[in-house]
């Protein structure tokens, strides 16, 4: 049975909803009808997420052009029966695939996390009697009964509710339980204001409820969010995109150069086998085989450093993505604020008192107002507090001023409680005071004003509450609300007994204002982000006035009158509205679909976006964002599973620290790439030039592998693990489309490659023509020249403008350790007979070592001269 809802169920009277569902509200559905509806609507469960299998992830690794080029080189080596070279290349290929596979192997468990919110059983009215059924068997039209602390099993239209309050934080972002009533609401009411609906996955905080199922499974609001999360795309990070682009470019250039060199050689009459060996050497030389290792370890170290700052990273490449972040969308509650209410204002007829943590004001009427809030209360402060956050804040505020509830109850014993009623929006308690009864009332300001006939001018004095006085109190309420406060009115009256209506002839005592205070360090974090060129934008489900006030206090807005964009405006495709949206710093009353649209809108403008969140409602936007950041303390599993990073302390300052680390990691990886490419392309140039000139190859394929996998990796890794420039957060974020290597850097790489290659060929020619060495001995000189040249060249990669002898590279102890280790490995390569035999090297004599050390130092000397000139210019 399909229901054609002309209007949403929350806009219709309960009786009309029941009629359209064709159900008897006193008997419920019968079994046969329930079965028919289940066949029509399906089971009441969310769809499982599609997993990427380990085999699929492994297969995707072979899509890399770089790895295919290595595989081709290994294949040629096998075909030529060069078993040692073939096995060595194959080993490098396996290591690279393994690293890529392990770093990407992360199951997508979003839907499983969402399913954990589902209620396993439900109490249902079937054929006139209550039954406990598996929640997945519910169908539209089922009558469901719920009690305190139960999870709502489907989307229900509320029919009856006794003192009902529902926790919807995971779905709407509202931190305070929402009062629910059966009364319909307007059709344009946002999710957080549909007070006659109970949504799947939320929980009953207080009271009992009876409702009729209007949606099940993927048709529920939770199902909609589940669908959004599954549709949201997980984009490749900037580093992934840049490294992939770099690898493809290198691969095609290498193929072109190898083909050109081989073709020219064959036309010149060179042996075919020699040309194939040359092609292998070029292919191996061009590929920085150690780059995946260096990038992975650098990112892993970043993960470790971030974990020490309470930021746990789920995906390696997300570490670097933070460095490119230009927009941080952050929730208000718990991230920018403490996620706890605090009593900060007391407004009486004569004064507004600001409470700064030093107790209550020295004003009898203000103290009486707080006393009413403490008495009319059913929370407690044991073990950090139990109950409604607002009531806990009233107890804490009273206790700070000496108004302890237990002590007050000894003087004024409670004899009756009228629990909070969403229909009247008030609560009352009756207390014995000598031979009288004092009635304490608190509730929504408009409701309390409506029930009051007088207002207090002193503890024991009152005046009639006329229209002028009511308007005055209403304006005071609006003033406090504009400050971002949750406002509660308190009133009292005297009675002869505890019978009758508590909400009549009340005396208005005043208003109390409560605030979720800003977290310590947030304003400083916002300022650091601004200096770093990063915009912090608040996205909340809260009221606009509250959002505006908090944002102004934290420095997100210049003043409290600044523009706040409502969630429904995100659905407007108007160009002017879009321009207004991307320039706004605060968004209020935002739904899950609107959060997702917000992220997409900024990404369409070319921004790299970070999104923080904690609830189920945040999951789609967290997944769509370039970097999703979940809250660790209060976050749901659904939010954590789709996020790239989890903040264990829920603090914005941890995001700022992570951004700093991300920038350092990118700069370090850029240095590592520069180091590897300058020296690897030098190998290509040297091999290609020697082949074209008819000279012996200055480097053998196994020698190149030895250099690239061992003596390249350790210096590059030392650069990748550097501490970075301490002023990195004083620079704007790099453009999201900026590659790892800019056009200018490619020019620098070409220049250094030519210099290094020239030194390598010079060593080869000196060995052959001046020292009269045989070919293996002369090749050993060229091999050692480029090897030691790489070690000295690492010092040319300090930041431009830094002092030649006091920069981030020279001060990096890992660089010195890497140089020492690699120098030892090079000595082993020529002095250990077994390894020398595999690499085909010879022991140089004194003249040979002189040539090696002199020529390998040439790039270092040139580089340090350039750095000195840059430093002197920077000082001027």
């Amino acid at each position: 049975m399909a229901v054609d809802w002309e209007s949403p169920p929350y806009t219709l009277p309960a009786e009309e909803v029941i009629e359209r569902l064709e159900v008897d509200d006193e008997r419920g559905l019968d079994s046969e009808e329930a079965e028919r509806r289940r066949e029509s609507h399906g089971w009441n469960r969310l769809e499982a997420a599609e997993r990427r299998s380990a085999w699929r992830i492994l297969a995707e690794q072979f899509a890399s052009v770089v790895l295919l080029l290595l595989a081709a080189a290994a294949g040629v080596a096998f075909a030529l029966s060069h078993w040692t070279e073939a096995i060595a290349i194959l080993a490098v290929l396996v290591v690279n695939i393994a690293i890529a596979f392990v770093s990407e192997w992360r199951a997508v468990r979003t839907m499983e996390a969402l399913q954990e919110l589902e209620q396993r059983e439900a109490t249902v009215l079937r054929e006139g009697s209550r039954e406990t059924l598996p929640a997945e068997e519910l169908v539209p039209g089922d009558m469901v009964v719920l009690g305190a602390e139960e999870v709502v099993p489907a989307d229900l239209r509320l029919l009856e509710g006794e003192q009902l309050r529902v926790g919807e934080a995971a779905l709407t972002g509202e931190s305070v339980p929402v009062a629910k009533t059966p009364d319909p609401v307007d059709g344009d009411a946002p999710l957080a204001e549909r007070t006659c609906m109970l949504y799947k996955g939320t929980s009953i905080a207080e009271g009992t409820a009876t409702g009729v199922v209007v949606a099940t499974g993927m048709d529920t609001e939770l199902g909609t969010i589940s669908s959004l999360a599954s549709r949201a795309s997980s984009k490749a990070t900037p580093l992934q995109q840049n490294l992939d682009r770099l690898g493809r470019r290198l691969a095609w250039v290498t193929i072109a150069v190898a083909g050109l060199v081989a073709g020219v050689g064959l036309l010149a009459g060179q042996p075919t086998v020699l040309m194939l060996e040359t092609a292998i050497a070029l292919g191996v030389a061009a590929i920085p085989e150690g780059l995946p290792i260096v990038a992975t370890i650098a990112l892993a170290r970043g993960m470790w450093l971030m974990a020490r700052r309470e930021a746990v990273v789920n995906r390696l490449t997300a570490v670097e993505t933070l460095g490119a972040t230009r927009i941080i969308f952050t929730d208000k509650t718990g991230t920018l604020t403490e996620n706890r209410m605090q009593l900060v204002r007391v407004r009486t007829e004569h004064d507004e008192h600001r409470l700064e943590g030093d107790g209550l004001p020295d004003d009898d009427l203000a103290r009486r107002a707080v006393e009413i809030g403490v008495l009319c209360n059913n929370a407690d402060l044991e073990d950090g507090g139990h109950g409604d956050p607002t009531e806990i804040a009233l107890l804490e505020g009273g206790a700070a001023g000496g108004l302890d509830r237990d002590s007050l109850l000894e003087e004024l014993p409670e004899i009756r409680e009228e629990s909070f009623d969403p229909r009247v929006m008030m609560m009352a308690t009756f207390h014995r005071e000598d031979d009288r009864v004092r009635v304490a009332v608190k509730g929504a300001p408009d409701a309390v004003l409506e029930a009051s006939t007088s207002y207090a001018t002193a503890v024991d004095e009152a005046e009639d509450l006329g229209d002028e006085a009511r308007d005055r109190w209403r304006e005071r309420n609006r003033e406090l609300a504009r400050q971002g406060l949750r406002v509660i009115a308190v009133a009292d009256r005297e009675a002869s007994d505890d019978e009758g209506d508590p909400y009549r002839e009340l005396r208005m005592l005043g208003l109390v204002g409560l605030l979720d205070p800003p977290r310590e360090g947030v304003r400083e974090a916002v300022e650091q982000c601004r200096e770093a060129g990063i915009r912090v934008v608040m996205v909340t489900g809260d009221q606009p006035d509250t959002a505006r006030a908090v944002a102004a206090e934290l420095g997100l807005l210049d003043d409290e009158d600044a523009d706040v964009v409502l969630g429904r405006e995100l659905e407007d495709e108007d160009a002017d509205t879009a321009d207004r949206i991307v320039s706004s710093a605060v968004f209020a009353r935002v739904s899950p679909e609107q959060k997702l649209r917000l992220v997409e809108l900024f990404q369409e403008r070319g921004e790299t976006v970070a999104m923080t969140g904690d609830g189920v409602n945040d999951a789609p936007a967290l997944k769509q964002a370039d970097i999703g950041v979940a809250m660790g303390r209060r976050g749901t599993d659904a939010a954590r599973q789709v996020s790239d990073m989890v903040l264990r302390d829920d603090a914005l300052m941890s995001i700022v620290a992570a951004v700093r680390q991300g920038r350092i990691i990118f700069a370090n990886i850029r240095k590592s790439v520069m180091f590897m490419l300058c020296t690897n392309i030098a190998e290509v140039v040297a091999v290609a030039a020697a082949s074209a000139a008819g000279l012996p190859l200055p480097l053998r394929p196994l020698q190149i592998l030895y250099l690239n996998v061992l003596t390249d990796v350790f210096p590059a890794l030392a650069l990748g693990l550097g501490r970075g420039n301490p002023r990195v957060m004083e620079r704007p974020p790099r453009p999201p489309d900026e590659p790892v290597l800019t056009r200018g850097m490619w020019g620098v790489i070409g220049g250094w490659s030519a210099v290094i290659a020239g030194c390598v060929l010079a060593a080869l020619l000196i060995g052959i023509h001046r020292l009269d060495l045989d070919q293996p001995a002369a090749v050993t000189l060229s091999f050692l020249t480029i090897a030691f040249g790489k070690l000295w060249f690492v010092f040319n990669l300090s930041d431009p403008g830094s002092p030649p002898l006091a920069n981030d590279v020279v001060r990096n102890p890992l660089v010195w350790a890497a140089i020492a280790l690699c120098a030892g490995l090079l000595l082993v390569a020529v002095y250990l007979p077994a390894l020398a035999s595999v690499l085909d090297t010879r022991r140089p004599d004194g003249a040979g070592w002189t040539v090696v050390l002199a020529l390998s130092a040439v790039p270092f000397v040139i580089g340090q001269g350039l750095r000195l000139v840059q430093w002197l210019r920077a000082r001027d």
Side-chain angles (χ1 to χ4, degrees):
M1 173 247 176
V3 180
D4 183 16
W5 297 106
E6 296 178 0
S7 300
Y10 53 83
T11 65
L12 304 174
E15 297 80 7
E16 186 173 345
V17 172
I18 292 172
E19 181 180 344
R20 293 197 179 191
L21 288 168
E22 299 179 9
V23 58
D24 185 335
D25 60 336
E26 295 184 359
R27 288 186 51 79
L29 299 173
D30 59 42
S31 298
E32 292 181 0
E33 177 62 21
E35 184 63 31
R36 282 194 295 270
R37 296 190 183 195
R38 189 177 305 110
E39 291 177 0
S40 173
H41 294 273
W43 295 92
N44 178 35
R45 56 192 177 205
L46 302 182
E47 295 177 359
E50 179 185 356
R51 282 180 175 270
R52 291 173 65 204
S53 69
W55 290 110
R56 178 179 170 186
I57 295 173
L58 181 61
E60 289 172 353
Q61 308 313 313
F62 290 91
S64 168
V65 177
V66 174
L67 295 182
L68 291 176
L69 185 60
L70 272 178
V76 173
F78 274 117
L80 296 175
S81 299
H82 291 192
W83 306 114
T84 307
E85 288 93 336
I87 293 172
I89 296 171
L90 192 61
V92 171
L93 183 67
V94 170
V95 169
N96 277 311
I97 290 175
I99 290 173
F101 171 77
V102 171
S103 64
E104 191 173 341
W105 184 33
R106 186 170 65 97
V108 180
R109 298 195 298 144
T110 309
M111 302 312 133
E112 294 176 7
L114 290 170
Q115 286 173 324
E116 291 178 7
L117 292 173
E118 298 190 73
Q119 180 78 320
R120 295 183 179 178
E121 294 183 337
T123 302
V124 184
L125 185 64
R126 287 275 179 91
E127 299 180 353
S129 61
R130 291 189 180 185
E131 300 179 18
T132 300
L133 300 176
E136 66 178 13
E137 295 184 8
L138 292 180
V139 295
D142 264 327
M143 312 294 295
V144 179
V145 180
L146 293 166
E149 300 185 1
E150 287 191 88
V151 176
V152 180
D155 283 3
L156 310 179
R157 172 60 166 88
L158 183 63
L159 304 178
E160 297 178 4
E162 289 294 328
Q163 300 157 5
L164 182 62
R165 291 157 67 85
V166 179
E168 296 186 329
L171 193 63
T172 66
E174 288 280 4
S175 58
V176 178
V178 180
K180 297 285 186 176
T181 69
D183 301 328
V185 297
D186 293 336
D188 58 355
L191 189 68
E193 296 176 7
R194 297 172 192 171
T195 51
C196 61
M197 292 292 296
L198 306 180
Y199 289 108
K200 182 180 179 71
T202 61
S203 59
I204 307 299
E206 296 178 27
T208 60
T210 300
V212 61
V213 175
V214 295
T216 58
M218 296 301 291
D219 294 329
T220 63
E221 286 294 329
L222 190 61
T224 300
I225 295 172
S226 172
S227 297
L228 288 172
S230 64
R231 290 201 304 267
S233 59
S234 295
K235 296 178 61 179
T237 68
L239 182 63
Q240 285 175 309
Q241 295 170 349
N242 284 325
L243 291 181
D244 288 346
R245 191 182 306 121
L246 175 61
R248 288 193 298 270
R249 183 178 299 176
L250 281 175
W252 291 117
V253 169
T254 301
I255 291 171
V257 172
L260 179 62
V261 170
V264 171
L266 290 172
L267 291 175
Q270 296 284 0
T272 302
V273 172
L274 176 62
M275 288 299 95
L276 289 174
E277 290 179 347
T278 302
I280 294 174
L282 287 170
V284 173
I287 300 171
E289 290 88 353
L291 182 57
I293 300 172
V294 171
T296 299
I297 294 177
L299 293 170
R301 180 174 181 268
M303 289 179 66
W304 176 73
L305 290 173
M306 289 184 187
R308 294 178 62 187
R309 293 296 305 268
E310 304 299 329
V312 179
V313 178
N314 293 334
R315 187 159 55 98
L316 273 180
T317 46
V319 175
E320 176 275 333
T321 308
L322 281 162
T325 298
R326 304 171 71 88
I327 303 289
I328 297 177
F329 290 122
T330 175
D331 192 14
K332 175 182 72 68
T333 305
T335 307
L336 301 179
T337 64
E338 292 282 358
N339 194 25
R340 63 176 183 84
M341 302 302 289
Q342 179 179 328
L343 180 62
V344 294
R345 299 281 191 280
V346 180
R347 184 65 168 96
T348 60
E349 171 61 23
H350 303 299
D351 296 292
E352 179 179 322
H353 302 277
R354 294 174 175 262
L355 310 183
E356 304 294 341
D358 299 327
L360 299 178
D362 186 18
D363 179 277
D364 290 341
L365 187 54
R367 292 182 65 85
R368 173 60 66 88
V370 175
E371 179 182 288
I372 292 298
V374 172
L375 288 171
C376 186
N377 199 306
N378 53 23
D380 66 71
L381 298 181
E382 293 183 5
D383 300 324
H386 298 283
D388 184 272
T390 299
E391 296 194 330
I392 292 173
L394 289 171
L395 293 182
E396 290 176 338
L403 297 177
D404 177 72
R405 189 167 193 270
D406 291 338
S407 300
L408 287 175
L409 290 178
E410 290 180 4
E411 300 176 14
L412 303 166
E414 183 178 310
I415 55 178
R416 175 187 167 190
E417 176 183 315
E418 192 74 21
S419 298
F420 179 83
D421 188 341
R423 290 170 295 187
V424 297
M425 299 299 290
M426 289 182 286
M427 171 187 176
T429 53
F430 291 70
H431 300 268
R432 179 70 62 188
E433 185 176 21
D434 298 330
D435 57 348
R436 300 173 298 167
V437 172
R438 187 197 297 183
V439 182
V441 176
K442 76 174 191 301
D446 287 341
V448 173
L449 276 172
E450 185 66 26
S452 297
T453 56
S454 64
Y455 66 95
T457 55
V459 171
D460 297 319
E461 297 177 5
E463 293 186 9
D464 290 339
L465 187 63
D467 291 341
E468 182 179 341
R470 289 180 190 276
D471 290 341
R472 190 165 63 244
W473 279 108
R474 290 191 181 102
E475 179 57 31
R476 291 166 181 168
N477 175 40
R478 286 191 289 268
E479 289 176 2
L480 292 175
R482 282 194 291 268
Q483 298 174 39
L485 304 180
R486 180 177 174 82
V487 185
I488 296 175
V490 290
D492 66 358
R493 72 177 177 89
E494 289 187 1
S496 57
D497 55 44
D498 61 349
E499 300 296 329
D501 180 9
Y503 310 122
R504 60 183 179 84
E505 299 181 356
L506 298 179
R507 180 181 68 152
M508 177 79 171
L509 290 174
L511 303 171
V512 294
L514 303 106
L515 176 71
D516 185 1
R519 291 189 65 147
E520 184 178 355
V522 167
R523 190 177 183 92
E524 291 79 5
V526 170
E527 185 59 34
Q528 285 186 30
C529 287
R530 183 177 288 111
E531 292 176 359
I534 301 170
R535 285 179 58 200
V536 179
V537 178
M538 179 194 293
V539 183
T540 178
D542 218 329
Q543 297 286 354
D545 287 341
T546 303
R548 182 186 290 108
V550 173
E553 185 172 353
L554 294 174
L556 295 175
L557 296 175
D558 296 331
D559 59 74
E560 294 189 11
D561 296 324
D563 190 28
V564 173
V565 176
L566 295 178
R568 61 174 178 267
E569 298 179 58
L570 295 173
E571 301 169 7
D572 192 342
E573 298 296 331
D574 181 77
D576 293 337
T577 303
D579 291 338
R580 173 169 165 259
I581 287 170
V582 296
S583 63
S584 179
V586 181
F587 297 84
R589 281 301 193 221
V590 180
S591 72
E593 295 92 340
Q594 293 159 354
K595 280 189 178 182
L596 179 60
R597 176 59 188 145
L598 184 61
V599 173
E600 292 172 337
L601 183 63
F602 276 78
Q603 288 177 333
E604 289 168 3
R605 299 284 178 116
E607 302 287 3
T608 301
V609 175
M611 165 67 81
T612 73
D614 60 348
V616 178
N617 60 318
D618 298 318
L622 288 172
K623 186 178 178 183
Q624 177 67 34
D626 297 284
I627 178 81
V629 184
M631 302 296 106
R633 289 183 178 177
R634 57 188 171 83
T636 61
D637 284 342
R640 286 192 289 265
Q641 290 296 337
V642 298
S643 295
D644 303 296
M645 187 171 78
V646 178
L647 299 183
R648 289 191 297 212
D649 60 357
D650 294 6
L652 182 66
M653 187 62 79
S654 295
I655 301 179
V656 176
V659 168
R660 180 181 184 278
Q661 193 61 42
R663 291 188 176 187
I664 289 173
I665 286 171
F666 182 84
N668 288 346
I669 290 178
R670 173 175 274 174
K671 290 178 182 177
S672 298
V673 173
M674 285 283 290
F675 169 77
M676 288 187 173
L677 291 189
C678 284
T679 55
N680 284 32
I681 293 178
E683 295 168 358
V684 173
V685 173
V687 170
S691 177
L695 296 172
L697 294 184
L699 297 165
R700 303 288 189 241
L702 274 182
Q703 292 174 352
I704 295 171
L705 272 179
Y706 190 81
L707 293 175
N708 289 4
V709 176
L710 294 179
T711 56
D712 268 13
V713 167
F714 293 110
L717 185 57
L719 291 171
L721 299 182
R723 296 181 179 178
N725 192 319
R727 304 181 67 180
V728 69
M729 288 297 282
E730 297 177 11
R731 305 168 181 170
R734 69 180 188 278
D737 57 349
E738 180 178 291
V740 175
L741 299 177
T742 63
R743 183 173 300 178
M745 291 174 183
W746 278 108
V748 172
I749 289 171
W752 282 121
S753 298
V755 171
I756 296 171
C759 294
V760 172
L761 292 174
L764 177 68
L765 292 172
I766 290 173
I768 294 174
H769 298 294
R770 296 293 299 272
L771 301 181
D772 295 324
L773 300 177
D774 60 15
Q775 185 172 313
V779 170
T780 299
L781 295 188
S782 55
F783 164 70
L784 291 174
T785 296
I786 192 168
F788 280 99
K790 290 185 177 190
L791 301 187
W792 318 143
F793 181 75
V794 72
F795 292 106
N796 292 348
L797 293 166
S798 59
D799 288 334
S802 59
L805 299 178
N807 54 61
D808 57 318
V809 176
V810 173
R811 290 174 175 171
N812 186 346
L814 295 176
V815 167
W816 294 99
I819 290 174
L821 175 61
C822 290
L825 290 172
L826 291 173
L827 294 177
V828 168
V830 294
Y831 287 106
L832 184 67
L835 186 56
S837 176
V838 171
L839 295 176
D840 196 19
T841 59
R842 303 292 185 269
R843 298 182 181 184
D845 57 13
W849 275 115
T850 300
V851 171
V852 167
L853 294 177
L855 289 174
S856 67
V858 170
F860 168 77
V861 173
I862 295 174
Q864 293 307 297
L866 293 173
R867 282 288 183 263
L868 179 61
V869 171
Q870 291 173 340
W871 178 60
L872 293 174
R873 287 179 176 175
R875 293 186 65 187
D876 294 338

